[in-house]
């Protein structure tokens, strides 16, 4: 049914809820001493509602909105923010510690729609060419991707990620590197030019639904949320009007990820790291010190000798019942080997500082058991690890974890066990997950839900199933051997440290990247 409210009145009503603070009170002058900056500049009349319309002579080739987490990368975040504000209009550069990204994008797209309605011919072109730059860790990038997905924009802008975290798995997957970037003006100009020439590609979005019983404070109607639940998971009243699981005392949380969901030892190390960083932020000033802290935590928590230092109740098979969906609507049980202590559901070929847990299956196994991993095929790669030494084999050219499944969805069902908690992580954000008591249950269900657009540059590892230039068969030097999946049948003697040649580490092995 068409709206009975005139479009102009509707726009004025919407504007009341879309007030984003401008970084300046007047039009920001552009220093075009470097003409190349014109390719990225967005004028105030597009950015700030009510600004004087001063049309540029042409549409910028690659107009950008920049989000910077000024607290990422030690002092690098603040330095990068200053550099972008120096080169671009300050009103197109936002500090995520001061500006909510959903408000920024709502305001921008509202302004564009109003200009389009008023007959402005440049506004739709800026909307079509718009690109987003996100500077921060994997959690920051996931936050922006989640906002873009939730807003359901008619033309969602593609996203480029500046590696400003510790692992930087998401930037590495699309060719932006994993080392913290330079923050000087020339480095930023170079990055902007990469963004202008970057390739746009689709990436699957993965929806997470978690259901658990949550205690209530005495006299309160609101449930107590689990401690340290990441911002990427939000509490909702119920999934739908016909939600059969909407039981008394249970709470539903929804969220999403684009790179990985993991549970077990790697998430525990990450949780310890984040907890320590919150308590002592002065100790975590740069990427090198952060990776050193990761190394110490991995050793101190005993994951290199997990079979000796950790109870078997921490093994994935004893923690949870796992089901996978290979065909839409059809769930089947997934058998998890008894010694697996970490499970990773992977969408991108980048984990723990750019490693690829899935690897490249041998030619014999391709198509019969597995397919090559793609970022837009609607499948997750599910991989398991026994201990930190098992993870270390990823540093070998053809190393990989224990391949468990390729699935369109995965479900974890937790019932009462010998331990009262486990650890989970999504795109760099870890949390300590309470487990059920008595007859209660905790359910985590992951399924594919739409796609986002990413920007890729250089020789990036992510591959698209829809790209005709992507090889459908790997080179011989990329394939692994056929021996990995029988590793659980190796004798106890061979399982001991140093007994197998596959455990030999490369000379440049950096233990801080095992997480």
């Amino acid at each position: 049914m068409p709206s009975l409210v005139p479009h102009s009145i509707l726009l004025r009503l919407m504007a009341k809820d879309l007030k984003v603070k401008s970084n300046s009170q007047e039009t920001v002058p552009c220093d075009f001493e470097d003409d190349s900056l014109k390719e990225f500049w967005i004028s105030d009349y597009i950015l700030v509602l009510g600004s004087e319309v001063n049309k540029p002579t042409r549409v910028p080739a690659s107009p950008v909105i920049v989000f910077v987490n000024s607290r990422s990368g030690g002092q690098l975040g603040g330095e990068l923010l200053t550099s972008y504000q120096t080169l671009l209009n300050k009103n197109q550069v936002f500090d995520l510690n001061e500006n909510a990204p959903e408000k920024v994008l709502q305001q921008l797209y509202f302004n564009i729609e109003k200009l389009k309605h008023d007959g402005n011919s440049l506004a739709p072109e800026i909307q079509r060419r718009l690109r987003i730059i996100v500077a921060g860790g994997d959690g920051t990038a996931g936050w922006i991707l989640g906002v873009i997905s939730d807003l359901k924009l008619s033309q969602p802008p593609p996203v480029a990620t500046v590696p400003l975290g510790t692992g930087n798995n998401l930037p590495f997957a699309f060719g932006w590197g994993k080392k913290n970037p330079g923050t000087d003006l020339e480095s930023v100009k170079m990055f902007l030019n990469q963004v202008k020439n970057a390739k746009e590609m689709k990436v699957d979005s993965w929806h997470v639904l978690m259901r658990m019983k949550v205690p209530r404070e005495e006299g309160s109607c609101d449930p107590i949320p689990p401690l340290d639940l990441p911002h990427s998971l939000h509490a909702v009243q119920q999934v739908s009007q016909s939600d059969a699981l909407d039981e008394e005392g249970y709470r539903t949380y929804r969220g999403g990820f684009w790179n990985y969901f993991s549970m077990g030892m790697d998430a525990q190390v990450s949780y310890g790291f984040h907890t320590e960083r919150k308590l002592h932020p002065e100790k975590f000033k740069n990427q090198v010190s952060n990776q050193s802290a990761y190394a110490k935590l991995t050793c101190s928590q005993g994951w290199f000798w997990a079979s000796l230092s950790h109870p078997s109740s921490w093994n994935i098979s004893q923690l949870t019942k796992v089901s996978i969906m290979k065909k839409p609507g059809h769930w089947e049980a997934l058998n998890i080997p008894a010694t697996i202590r970490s499970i990773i559901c992977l969408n991108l070929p980048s984990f723990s500082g750019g490693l690829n847990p899935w690897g490249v299956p041998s030619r014999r196994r391709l198509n019969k058991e597995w397919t090559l991993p793609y970022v837009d095929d609607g499948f997750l790669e599910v991989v398991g690890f026994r201990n930190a030494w098992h993870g270390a084999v990823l540093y070998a050219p053809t190393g990989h974890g224990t391949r468990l499944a390729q699935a369109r969805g995965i479900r974890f069902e937790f019932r009462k066990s010998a331990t009262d908690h486990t650890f989970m992580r999504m795109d760099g954000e870890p949390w300590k997950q309470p487990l059920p008591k008595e007859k209660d249950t905790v359910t985590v269900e992951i399924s594919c839900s739409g796609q986002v657009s990413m920007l890729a540059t250089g020789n990036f590892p992510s591959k698209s199933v829809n790209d005709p230039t992507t090889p459908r068969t790997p080179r011989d030097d990329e394939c692994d051997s056929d021996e990995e999946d029988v590793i659980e049948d190796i004798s106890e003697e061979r399982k001991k440290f140093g007994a197998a040649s596959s455990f030999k580490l490369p000379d440049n092995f950096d233990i801080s990247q095992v997480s």
Side-chain angles (χ1 to χ4, degrees), residues 487-502:
I487 199 164
E488 296 300 327
D489 296 327
I490 296 176
S491 67
E492 290 298 321
E493 188 64 24
R494 284 286 305 280
K495 288 182 183 179
K496 292 181 180 179
F497 168 71
S501 60
S502 60

Side-chain angles (χ1 to χ4, degrees), residues 108-356:
L108 174 63
Y109 276 79
F110 168 77
N111 294 350
I112 289 175
E113 288 302 320
K114 184 177 185 304
L115 289 167
K116 288 162 61 177
H117 178 260
D118 293 342
N120 185 290
S121 59
L122 299 184
E125 273 301 301
I126 290 177
Q127 180 180 15
R128 185 179 68 83
R129 302 182 187 188
L130 184 67
R131 298 188 162 197
I132 302 290
I133 296 175
V134 182
D138 288 335
T140 301
W143 179 17
I144 301 301
L145 290 173
V147 167
I148 293 173
S149 298
D150 288 343
L151 290 178
K152 301 187 183 304
L153 303 171
S154 57
Q155 289 180 292
V159 176
T161 52
V162 182
L164 209 60
T166 301
N168 297 319
N169 295 294
L170 202 149
F172 179 78
F174 296 98
W176 302 106
K178 54 186 176 182
K179 292 183 178 180
N180 292 161
T183 59
D184 59 281
L185 297 183
E186 287 305 315
S187 295
V188 172
K189 288 180 183 178
M190 188 179 302
F191 190 89
L192 284 169
N193 283 316
Q194 284 182 294
V195 170
K196 181 179 68 173
N197 298 317
K199 175 182 179 180
E200 184 175 344
M201 62 188 303
K202 295 293 184 181
V203 178
D204 292 331
S205 298
W206 292 91
H207 178 250
V208 178
L209 192 67
M210 182 169 72
R211 178 65 59 101
M212 61 181 295
K213 196 165 188 178
V214 181
R216 298 178 184 274
E217 288 182 335
E218 187 174 349
S220 172
C221 296
D222 295 326
I224 302 172
L227 294 177
D228 300 317
L229 202 65
H231 72 260
S232 53
L233 280 175
H234 305 280
V236 294
Q237 291 298 327
Q238 62 181 134
V239 181
S240 66
Q241 294 295 325
S242 60
D243 184 6
L245 296 177
D246 191 24
E247 303 173 13
E248 180 66 26
Y250 279 78
R251 189 76 169 183
T252 300
Y253 298 85
R254 303 179 75 165
F257 68 91
W258 290 266
N259 193 357
Y260 66 86
F261 171 94
S262 67
M263 178 174 60
M265 64 178 181
D266 71 283
Q268 182 174 349
V269 174
S270 180
Y271 179 81
F273 171 81
H274 281 261
T275 301
E276 186 70 14
R277 185 165 60 177
K278 286 180 182 178
L279 294 174
H280 305 286
E282 71 281 357
K283 296 181 181 180
F284 300 85
K285 291 296 185 181
N286 56 64
Q287 193 175 37
V288 175
S289 63
N290 291 353
Q291 291 177 344
S292 176
Y294 249 99
K296 293 176 181 178
L297 281 168
T298 305
C299 292
S300 64
Q301 291 182 0
W303 286 116
F304 280 95
W305 300 274
S307 60
L308 300 176
S309 57
H310 294 300
S312 60
S313 59
W314 288 15
N315 295 2
I316 299 299
S317 61
Q318 295 198 34
L319 279 176
T320 180
K321 175 184 175 183
V322 183
S323 303
I324 59 171
M325 180 171 61
K326 290 190 174 182
K327 298 179 180 180
H330 178 69
W331 292 91
E332 59 184 71
L334 177 64
N335 179 47
I336 307 294
T339 56
I340 295 296
R341 294 178 178 86
S342 184
I343 190 169
I344 304 166
C345 304
L346 195 68
N347 187 43
L348 306 179
S350 179
F351 181 79
S352 190
L355 302 176
N356 184 0

Side-chain angles (χ1 to χ4, degrees), residues 409-460:
I410 187 166
R411 179 190 294 154
F412 301 94
E413 296 179 73
F414 302 86
R415 299 189 182 276
K416 184 179 179 181
S417 64
T419 183
D420 61 357
H421 68 272
T422 188
F423 296 88
M424 298 180 181
R425 182 163 62 144
M426 290 199 312
D427 283 358
E429 288 195 287
W431 73 95
K432 185 178 181 179
Q433 175 61 45
L435 294 182
K437 298 178 180 179
E438 299 179 357
K439 296 182 179 180
D440 299 336
T441 59
V442 172
T443 303
V444 177
E445 186 173 305
I446 300 171
S447 57
C448 193
S449 177
Q451 294 181 326
V452 294
S453 295
M454 299 295 296
L455 290 171
T457 186
N459 186 22
F460 52 92

Side-chain angles (χ1 to χ4, degrees), residues 26-93:
E26 56 187 21
T27 300
V28 181
C30 175
D31 180 6
F32 282 142
E33 183 177 334
D34 185 346
D35 284 344
S36 65
L37 294 177
K38 295 179 182 179
E39 305 292 353
F40 312 101
W41 189 274
I42 303 179
S43 299
D44 267 353
Y45 82 95
I46 293 286
L47 299 165
V48 183
L49 191 65
S51 296
E52 181 182 355
V53 177
N54 183 16
K55 291 184 181 180
T57 56
R58 62 190 178 93
V59 180
S62 182
V64 296
I65 293 293
V66 183
F67 292 107
V68 181
N69 186 343
S70 60
R71 296 179 183 175
S72 289
Q75 63 181 6
L76 296 182
E79 293 174 0
L80 202 60
L81 179 69
T82 300
S83 292
Y84 274 105
Q85 289 177 336
T86 300
L87 294 174
L88 301 174
N89 185 339
K90 289 184 179 180
N91 288 325
Q92 69 187 101
V93 182

